[in-house]
């Protein structure tokens, strides 16, 4: 609904696209969204995680992290009082901390990220609900399945 403001807090499964990555903790996510119309909304979100991986050349375990602020534009289709499905376009920047001591390491360079998401919110009460969202960052090599709580302000 036009003028709605929604805050979402959640947890994600998935992450950067390397098969040997082990997460210290999975990505945490926080988002704010504002409805420009009944069908179109804009928002911002931030994802953060910590991970470890094994370097292939010396088998050393290295830690790192990722902070990713994103802008999001969403289209809400088939919305009802309780259910709010949406599709989104995402763009932002990934700030990566990589604990590798080798200066030429390019495993996780800071980079522009862009992608898409498909999700839905289900409101348990008028203002409090749960959400689930799948997203793939085509630039940035990441995929997440997020879930959490959402609150209409």
């Amino acid at each position: 609904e036009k003028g709605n403001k929604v805050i979402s807090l959640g947890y994600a499964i998935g992450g950067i696209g390397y098969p040997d990555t082990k997460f210290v903790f999975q990505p945490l996510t926080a988002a704010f969204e504002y409805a420009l119309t009944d069908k179109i909304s804009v928002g911002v979100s931030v994802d953060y995680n910590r991970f470890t991986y094994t370097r292939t050349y010396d088998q050393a375990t290295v830690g790192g992290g990722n902070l990713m602020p994103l802008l999001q534009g969403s289209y809400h289709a088939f919305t009802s009082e309780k259910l709010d499905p949406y599709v989104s376009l995402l763009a932002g920047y990934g700030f990566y901390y990589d604990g590798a001591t080798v200066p030429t390491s390019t495993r996780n360079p800071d980079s522009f990220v862009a992608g898409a998401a498909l999700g839905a919110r289900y409101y348990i009460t008028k203002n409090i609900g749960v959400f689930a969202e799948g997203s793939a960052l085509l630039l940035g090599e990441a995929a997440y399945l997020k879930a959490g709580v959402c609150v209409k302000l």
Side-chain angles (χ1 to χ4, degrees):
E1 185 172 304
K2 182 179 179 177
N4 277 354
K5 298 174 189 118
V6 178
I7 292 177
S8 301
L9 299 173
Y11 190 72
I13 298 170
I16 57 175
Y18 297 106
D20 58 346
T21 300
K22 297 178 182 75
F23 286 95
V24 174
F25 63 83
Q26 292 286 344
L28 302 174
T29 185
F32 173 79
E33 184 176 64
Y34 178 77
L36 297 174
T37 71
D38 288 347
K39 299 283 185 191
I40 304 292
S41 66
V42 294
V44 295
S45 66
V46 176
D47 295 344
Y48 176 75
N49 68 24
R50 298 277 301 151
F51 56 85
T52 63
Y53 65 91
T54 303
R55 289 193 301 226
T56 55
Y57 68 89
D58 67 357
Q59 300 304 304
T61 299
V62 178
N66 170 342
L67 177 68
M68 195 173 347
L70 296 165
L71 298 175
Q72 180 169 328
S74 301
Y75 178 75
H76 301 258
F78 313 111
T79 301
S80 70
E81 188 174 310
K82 293 234 177 236
L83 187 63
D84 179 17
Y86 57 89
V87 61
S88 303
L89 294 177
L90 311 167
Y93 200 79
F95 297 95
Y96 296 94
Y97 160 76
D98 191 333
T101 56
V102 178
T104 58
S105 174
T106 58
R107 181 177 177 89
N108 292 312
D110 291 352
S111 65
F112 173 76
V113 293
L118 180 63
R121 295 185 189 102
Y122 179 79
Y123 287 95
I124 300 163
T125 70
K126 183 177 178 178
N127 294 322
I128 298 172
V130 294
F131 77 93
E133 177 181 294
S135 61
L137 298 175
L138 307 176
L139 297 174
E141 299 182 17
Y144 297 104
L145 179 59
K146 300 177 184 179
V149 297
C150 54
V151 178
K152 274 189 210 176
L153 302 177

